[in-house]
């Protein structure tokens, strides 16, 4: 599997940096954001290192579909009942700070810290 030894999310996938896990399967890991914008804020990441959404192609369609389809199931499991926000920051101007593809999923009662 493709990993980047300098990548913080690859280190989380490898267990070298701890995280609060919400879901895991062969391809995906979900953990709680360390600096949450909302009462529930998780990050869905592929275990394989992909730098950003701009680095995906046709071969990644199934993976991307699985990531998006997981969002409502996770929110239900985490008790989010009244809607949620899905964000994929991409590239510098897109506000991406960690260069490993991740889907933010945020929910829970407002007000939120941000967003
Ligand atoms: P982005 O700006 O879309 O790249 O978002 C990166 C997100 O990763 C931010 O919301 C950070 O709070 C979060 N983050 C960074 N380091 C960690 C970590 N060690 N564990 C959990 N979340 C993290
Ligand atoms: Zn990575």
């Amino acid at each position: 599997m493709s990993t980047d030894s300098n990548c913080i999310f690859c280190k989380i996938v490898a267990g070298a940096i701890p995280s609060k896990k919400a879901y895991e399967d062969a391809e995906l890991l979900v953990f709680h954001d360390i600096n949450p914008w909302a009462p529930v804020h998780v990050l869905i990441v592929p275990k394989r290192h992909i730098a950003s959404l701009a680095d995906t192609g046709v071969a990644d369609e199934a993976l991307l579909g699985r990531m998006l389809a997981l969002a409502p199931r996770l929110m239900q499991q985490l008790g989010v009942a009244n809607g949620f926000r899905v964000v994929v920051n991409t590239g510098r101007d897109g506000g991406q700070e960690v260069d490993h593809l991740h889907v933010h999923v945020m929910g829970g009662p407002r007000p939120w810290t941000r967003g």
Side-chain angles (χ1 to χ4, degrees):
M1 184 156 57
S2 161
T3 61
D4 179 337
S5 56
N6 293 315
C7 169
I8 186 164
F9 287 178
C10 283
K11 290 178 184 171
I12 287 175
V13 167
I17 291 178
S19 68
K20 189 178 166 200
K21 289 181 192 176
Y23 173 86
E24 183 170 14
D25 64 31
E27 280 188 315
L28 302 177
L29 179 66
V30 182
F31 51 91
H32 291 265
D33 196 293
I34 206 167
N35 188 16
W37 290 25
V40 175
H41 183 170
V42 295
L43 303 173
I44 304 174
V45 311
K47 289 186 168 179
R48 173 163 60 92
H49 182 83
I50 302 171
S52 85
L53 189 60
D55 296 285
T56 62
V58 171
D60 302 306
E61 283 178 354
L63 178 74
L64 292 168
R66 292 196 63 232
M67 291 172 77
L68 197 57
L70 192 53
R73 285 164 44 204
L74 281 169
M75 289 298 102
Q76 191 175 31
Q77 281 167 18
L78 293 169
V80 171
N82 288 313
F84 53 87
R85 177 173 289 185
V86 176
V87 174
V88 186
N89 297 324
T90 305
R92 286 287 83 81
D93 289 350
Q96 185 178 2
E97 291 179 356
V98 175
D99 290 333
H100 180 129
L101 175 63
H102 52 282
V103 173
H104 294 257
V105 190
M106 293 162 273
R110 288 185 179 269
W112 291 2
T113 312
R114 291 172 71 185

